[in-house]
Amino acid sequence: MYKRWETLLPQELVDAIIDEIPLEETLTLQVCTLVAQSFYSRAHKRLFFMAVLRSSRYTHHRAKFDPYARFLQYMARTPNDASLVTELRLHDFYLPISGSWLTQDEVLVPDILNVLPNLESLVINCLDTSLSRAIMTSLRKLIATPHLLNISFSKVLFRQDSPSFLSLFKDSVAPKNIQVHGGLAYYRDIDDMPSTGVNPINSLAIKMYPSAAADFVDCLLSSRCPFDLLTLKRLEIYSMWMKHAGIFNRLLCHLKNSLEELVVHTSSTCQLPCYELSAWADDLVQQPEQSSWAESQRLNVTLLVKTRIHHSRFLLCWLKFWVHLPTIWSTSTCICA
């Protein structure tokens, strides 16, 4: 009866069922590996698809309980399972007296990055702290591989005495999807970094304080930037107030012939949000490079707004803002939250 029941289910249906299970429900995926042989392969692969490492000061000093040390030991013993991990998320934590762990670690994280041969996505969450030199060196080697496509930095500080953020990508070959959320980056050593500016980039998300975002844009537009910005297809920017969105206007004008999608995250608590929206559009239109925008290029614009005023009233403001947009922005969407 068991064999007959197993053969009645097409493998495509079994795979579709398992793919609907969220990656966070590891216990459910473990149970699926015990259902039948047809369930095991897909469930086992999905079980190791994403690894989230989050430790604490209470478990760090005991390798038996520290998730970083345990994960490294298991991956080193089972290379087949290590090859299944395609997404890795690292979370920083504070240690008594010594402070941030990712600032001090010289062994565990570099070894973890080296033991995962098929890593496609990497997320590093810090606590407004920097990374150790060993981790930065391992990151540079990992980013140079063609299989890593997505990388996200959250609250990571790139200090003057450490390798710069853009230096991590100087040997990149495959198009990357990059997210930079919070943190700070110093680029004073960027002039000493040799760069050809031919490394492709597919998408870029910037969520930083205005002063940090302005410095970041200046570095992207500098001659030493390792990215070929003409390969950038999707730009996602976060601006708490639209009056600061003008920081990105020079970057938008530089991408006028290649950018295909623009997503703007913002919020508005004022009674007349259309003023800030229209002012941003007017400033963009008045940029010196605006007159040479290609007429054949069409840009999809999505504005995600968190507002405290009534949605119907804000839609009227959006219509006024849309009139100020450049004529090449043929598709515009406004979503109120």
Side-chain angles (χ1 to χ4, degrees), residues 7 14 29 39 45 62 114 118 123 136 144-145 153 170 178 201 221 237 239 257 268 277 299 301 317 322 325:
T7 56
V14 174
L29 292 172
F39 279 70
K45 182 178 180 180
R62 303 182 64 181
N114 292 332
N118 298 320
V123 179
M136 293 287 286
T145 60
F153 295 97
K170 66 177 184 178
I178 304 173
I201 176 174
L221 297 178
I237 59 178
S239 182
N257 294 327
S268 181
L277 297 174
L299 180 64
V301 182
C317 299
W322 184 81
L325 290 177

Side-chain angles (χ1 to χ4, degrees), residues 80-135:
N80 290 334
D81 290 342
S83 64
L84 298 178
V85 180
T86 59
E87 181 176 349
L88 178 64
R89 298 185 180 183
L90 305 176
H91 293 265
D92 195 8
F93 60 94
Y94 278 111
L95 295 173
I97 303 177
S98 57
S100 167
W101 179 65
L102 288 182
T103 304
Q104 310 168 41
D105 177 62
E106 300 283 346
V107 179
L108 281 181
V109 172
D111 288 346
I112 290 174
L113 296 179
N114 292 332
V115 81
L116 303 177
N118 298 320
L119 198 61
E120 299 178 1
S121 178
L122 176 63
V123 179
I124 300 180
N125 295 281
C126 286
L127 305 170
D128 287 325
T129 51
S130 58
L131 303 175
S132 68
R133 284 191 172 272
I135 294 179

Side-chain angles (χ1 to χ4, degrees), residues 294-336:
E295 292 296 335
S296 59
Q297 181 68 25
R298 290 295 178 265
L299 180 64
N300 297 325
V301 182
T302 301
L303 184 64
L304 304 175
V305 183
K306 292 183 178 180
T307 178
R308 294 183 181 178
I309 65 176
H310 196 273
H311 288 180
S312 60
R313 181 177 178 182
F314 189 84
L315 288 177
L316 295 177
C317 299
W318 167 252
L319 293 176
K320 295 179 181 180
F321 166 67
W322 184 81
V323 175
H324 290 258
L325 290 177
T327 56
I328 65 164
W329 291 8
S330 58
T331 304
S332 304
T333 305
C334 178
I335 302 177
C336 302

Side-chain angles (χ1 to χ4, degrees), residues 71 78 101 154 167 213 225 239 242 307:
F71 180 78
T78 57
W101 179 65
S154 178
S167 67
C225 177
S239 182
M242 286 305 300
T307 178

